[in-house]
């Protein structure tokens, strides 16, 4: 597909490859001898003296009224106004401050008006098209004017060349308002969405990396051999600026692309552009990140399982840092809460940045767990213990961090209701790990760490380990030892009346300890542990005797 031409009088549009064409006006009013440039000044040399100066930004153009006003209704009005208000013996000067593309694009407009060749490419077609609209260069003035020429080439680019669409979008960044007004952004987004949702087996790759829509019979097999996946368009789309990316995602959603694929594309873009918000050099960057974060949240797919919990946690963390709107933060928090029942501990790991922070962001996870509990109160779920196990596993992992505060640990441990844990062994492991990693805690802080643990829900193995754990606070250890004494006293009682005296002595010891409620001495705790060991030996002897009596009784019956 080497060239294309559009005939309108003398007008031609020809293209070599996909991204370039040459245009000429329909009527060549005036053939210039030269277009000279000195510094920021352009001068068109003809046999007729210049009678018009147009200032575009910092650049000036010495031109001719006839060549310019015959193509531009906008310049026609300005020249007429100058003629009505200004002196007739002075050279009229027109100031244009907001011409799309500035002086560089206006130079192409001047060339067109003078009948010179104008090279249009995917990188300049959008600003030239916008400038033509700004200057009102329509076919009402002259058939084959600049608006219709650029429109023809723009449509051609959007229909054929994949890579060129992104070049068009890139060129729209300095002229976003005009590009939106003339729907160039929308048309580019729709073109990308249309090609992204078409079965990629229908595409062939051209030599300049553009994707052609020529469907050939053998393309499907070639495509499979090239190993191109359904996310082949991610890399190109991820190069877009956030506002252009948002428009593309909206168009892709409308085309019915699978929500999981859309979610993966959003995550891909975010990972590429926001690898870590630890460096915020100035307020402008902070503001840009805030707007970007809010935009990303708004385009997230609504469908369940369309995006991972870990990515949503990163997005929530970023939103908290950027202080985005409360409603958007809640929206992300609810999305993650709905996923907790199917999460693994690794899904909750979101790194912090900075030397004074914990390794992982425990606060954000706590916020999500609280959101889950809040939603669960409205709609009770039988999977609450699953989330309890998840949280305890997460606590056991992050508790090794020496920068994790008591308040952070306790807030997450207590975020779940009592019925979220059938057994507290994993929570106990997390507490023990935390106490081991923070040896300088005060007794009061140790007690605070243990608040969420219910020692009645420890297994026998957990209880046995806890009663001998000197890292636990004194009052917790006392409770655990007393509990073990009571349990053994009950076991002794259940062996029968053969050793009634021993049983009575054990119960007296337990009652004595219960009377001395909160023990404060480590020596007393050691004595209690010795008593427990002694009671265990007595209990073993009782059980042996009981078994012997039962055997003898059975022998007598025989």
């Amino acid at each position: 597909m080497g060239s294309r031409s559009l005939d309108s009088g003398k007008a031609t549009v020809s293209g070599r490859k996909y991204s370039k064409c040459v245009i000429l006006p329909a009527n060549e009013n005036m053939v210039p001898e030269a277009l000279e440039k000195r510094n920021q000044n352009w001068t068109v040399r003809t046999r007729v003296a210049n009678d018009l100066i147009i200032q575009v930004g910092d650049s000036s153009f010495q031109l001719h009224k006839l060549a310019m006003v015959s193509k531009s209704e906008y310049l026609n009005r300005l020249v007429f106004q100058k003629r009505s208000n200004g002196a007739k013996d002075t050279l009229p000067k027109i100031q244009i401050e907001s011409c799309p593309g500035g002086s560089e694009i206006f130079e192409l407009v001047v060339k067109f008006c003078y009948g010179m060749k104008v090279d249009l490419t995917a990188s300049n077609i959008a600003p030239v098209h916008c400038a033509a609209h700004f200057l009102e260069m329509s076919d009402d003035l002259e058939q084959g004017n600049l608006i219709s020429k650029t429109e023809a080439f723009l449509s051609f680019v959007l229909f054929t060349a994949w890579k060129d669409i992104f070049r068009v979008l890139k060129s729209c960044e300095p002229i976003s308002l005009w590009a939106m007004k003339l729907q160039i952004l929308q048309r580019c987004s729709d073109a990308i969405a249309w090609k992204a949702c078409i079965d990629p087996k229908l595409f062939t790759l051209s030599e300049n990396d553009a994707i052609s829509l020529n469907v050939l019979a053998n393309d499907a097999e070639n495509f499979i051999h090239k190993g191109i996946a359904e996310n082949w368009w991610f890399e190109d789309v991820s190069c877009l600026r956030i506002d252009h990316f948002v428009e593309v995602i909206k168009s892709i959603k409308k085309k019915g692309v699978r929500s999981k694929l859309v979610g993966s594309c959003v995550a891909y873009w975010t990972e590429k552009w926001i690898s870590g918000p630890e460096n915020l050099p100035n307020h402008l960057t902070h503001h840009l990140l805030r707007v970007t974060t809010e935009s990303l949240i708004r385009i997230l797919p609504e469908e369940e399982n369309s995006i991972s919990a870990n990515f949503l946690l990163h997005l929530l963390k970023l939103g908290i840092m950027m202080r985005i709107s409360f409603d958007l933060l809640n929206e992300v928090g609810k999305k993650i809460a709905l996923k907790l029942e199917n999460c693994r501990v690794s899904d909750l790991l979101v790194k912090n940045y900075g030397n004074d922070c914990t390794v992982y962001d425990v606060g954000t996870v706590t916020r999500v767990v609280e959101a889950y509990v809040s939603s669960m109160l409205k709609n009770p779920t039988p999977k609450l213990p699953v989330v309890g196990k998840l949280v305890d596993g997460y606590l056991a992992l992050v508790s090794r961090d020496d920068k994790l505060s008591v308040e952070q640990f306790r807030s997450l441990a207590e975020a779940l209701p009592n019925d979220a844990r059938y057994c507290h062994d994993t929570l106990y492991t997390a507490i023990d790990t935390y106490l081991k990693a923070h040896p300088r805690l005060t007794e009061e802080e140790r007690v605070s760490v243990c608040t969420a643990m219910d020692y009645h829900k420890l297994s026998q193995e957990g209880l046995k380990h806890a009663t001998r754990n000197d890292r636990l606070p004194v009052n917790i250890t006392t409770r655990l030892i007393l509990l073990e004494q009571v349990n053994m006293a009950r076991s002794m009682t259940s062996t029968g009346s053969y050793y009634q005296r021993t049983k009575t002595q054990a119960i007296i010891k337990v009652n004595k300890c219960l009377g001395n409620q909160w023990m404060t001495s480590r020596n007393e705790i050691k004595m209690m542990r010795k008593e427990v060991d002694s009671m265990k030996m007595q209990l073993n002897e009782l059980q042996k005797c009981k078994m012997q009596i039962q055997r003898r009784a059975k022998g007598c019956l025989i």
Side-chain angles (χ1 to χ4, degrees), residues 472-504:
L472 293 176
V474 172
N475 66 336
I476 298 295
T477 306
T478 304
R479 290 182 185 181
L480 294 171
I481 294 177
L482 291 177
L483 177 63
E484 192 173 21
Q485 285 182 328
V486 169
N487 290 339
M488 278 196 287
R490 289 173 179 169
S491 298
M492 287 180 176
T493 303
S494 66
T495 61
S497 59
Y498 183 78
Y499 276 89
Q500 187 67 33
R501 179 172 172 272
T502 305
K503 174 202 72 175
T504 305

Side-chain angles (χ1 to χ4, degrees), residues 36 73 145 171 232 312 358-360 362 390 430 440 468 487 509 543:
E36 299 175 354
E73 181 67 32
N145 209 345
S171 69
W232 59 269
L312 289 173
T358 55
V359 176
Y360 296 107
V362 179
L390 173 71
R440 295 184 178 84
R468 285 155 179 76
N487 290 339
K509 289 180 180 179
Q543 289 175 339

Side-chain angles (χ1 to χ4, degrees), residues 148-428:
S148 59
K149 297 289 188 186
T150 53
E151 172 61 35
F153 182 62
L154 180 60
S155 299
F156 173 71
V157 169
L158 296 182
F159 180 75
T160 56
W162 169 262
K163 289 287 188 181
D164 283 349
I165 299 175
F166 294 91
R167 295 187 181 101
V168 172
L169 281 173
K170 183 67 177 178
S171 69
C172 287
E173 292 180 2
I175 53 168
S176 288
L177 293 179
W178 271 99
M180 290 180 64
K181 179 180 179 181
L182 298 178
Q183 296 189 325
I184 298 177
L185 294 183
Q186 186 63 56
R187 292 169 65 183
C188 288
S189 300
D190 289 344
I192 292 172
W194 179 64
K195 295 181 181 184
C197 70
I198 289 178
D199 187 348
K201 295 174 184 177
L202 303 179
F203 290 123
T204 58
L205 295 179
S206 68
E207 58 185 6
N208 66 344
D209 292 330
I211 294 182
S212 169
L213 297 183
N214 295 328
V215 181
L216 302 178
N218 62 346
D219 281 348
E221 185 177 354
N222 293 337
F223 192 89
I224 294 173
H225 288 318
K226 289 175 181 176
I228 300 178
E230 61 179 349
N231 63 348
W232 59 269
W233 45 275
F234 278 20
E235 182 59 35
D236 290 320
V237 171
S238 68
C239 294
L240 297 174
R241 200 174 69 175
I242 180 61
D243 52 342
H244 296 172
F245 176 74
V246 168
E247 292 301 320
V248 169
I249 291 298
K250 287 179 179 178
S251 295
I252 287 175
K253 281 183 176 180
K254 291 177 183 177
K255 291 293 182 181
V257 175
R258 289 189 304 110
S259 60
K260 192 167 185 178
L261 199 59
V262 175
S264 298
C265 184
V266 175
Y268 191 95
W269 188 97
T270 306
E271 183 179 358
K272 181 170 183 175
W273 289 99
I274 314 176
S275 58
E278 68 274 24
N279 297 318
L280 301 176
N282 51 50
H283 178 73
L284 178 62
T285 303
H286 187 281
H287 175 72
L288 180 59
L289 274 173
R290 184 174 185 272
V291 172
T292 299
T293 305
E294 291 180 342
S295 300
L296 290 171
I297 293 173
R298 289 190 177 99
I299 61 173
L300 290 175
E302 295 294 333
E303 291 78 6
E304 191 175 355
N305 297 325
S306 59
I307 203 158
S308 70
N310 188 259
F311 170 71
L312 289 173
L313 270 172
H314 278 86
L315 207 54
L316 179 61
K317 173 182 173 59
L318 185 61
I320 294 171
M321 291 180 63
M322 297 300 107
R323 298 180 181 178
I324 66 173
S325 71
F326 183 76
D327 291 340
L328 286 177
L329 285 178
N330 278 348
E331 181 182 334
V332 180
K334 290 177 181 177
K335 285 180 182 291
I336 307 170
L338 293 174
K339 295 176 174 292
L340 280 183
E341 295 173 358
N342 299 311
C343 280
R344 299 168 298 178
V345 171
S346 58
D347 295 327
L348 304 182
L349 299 181
V350 176
K351 282 195 172 184
N352 269 324
Y353 303 95
N355 297 327
D356 298 330
C357 301
T358 55
V359 176
Y360 296 107
D361 187 355
V362 179
T364 299
V365 174
T366 303
R367 182 184 185 122
V368 170
V369 173
E370 289 172 347
Y372 172 82
V373 173
S374 178
S375 64
M376 184 214 63
L377 295 176
K378 300 175 183 177
N379 300 295
T381 171
K383 293 188 176 181
L384 179 60
V386 174
V387 178
K389 185 177 180 181
L390 173 71
V391 171
D392 289 349
Y394 177 81
L395 273 172
L397 190 149
V398 300
S399 58
R400 302 184 183 95
D401 191 343
D402 59 354
K403 292 182 180 178
L404 182 65
S405 70
V406 171
E407 183 60 34
Q408 287 175 314
F409 184 94
R410 180 177 175 178
S411 295
L412 180 53
E414 296 182 348
L416 292 169
N418 293 330
D419 54 348
R421 301 177 176 97
Y422 294 137
C423 177
H424 280 213
D425 279 12
T426 308
L427 178 60
Y428 166 68

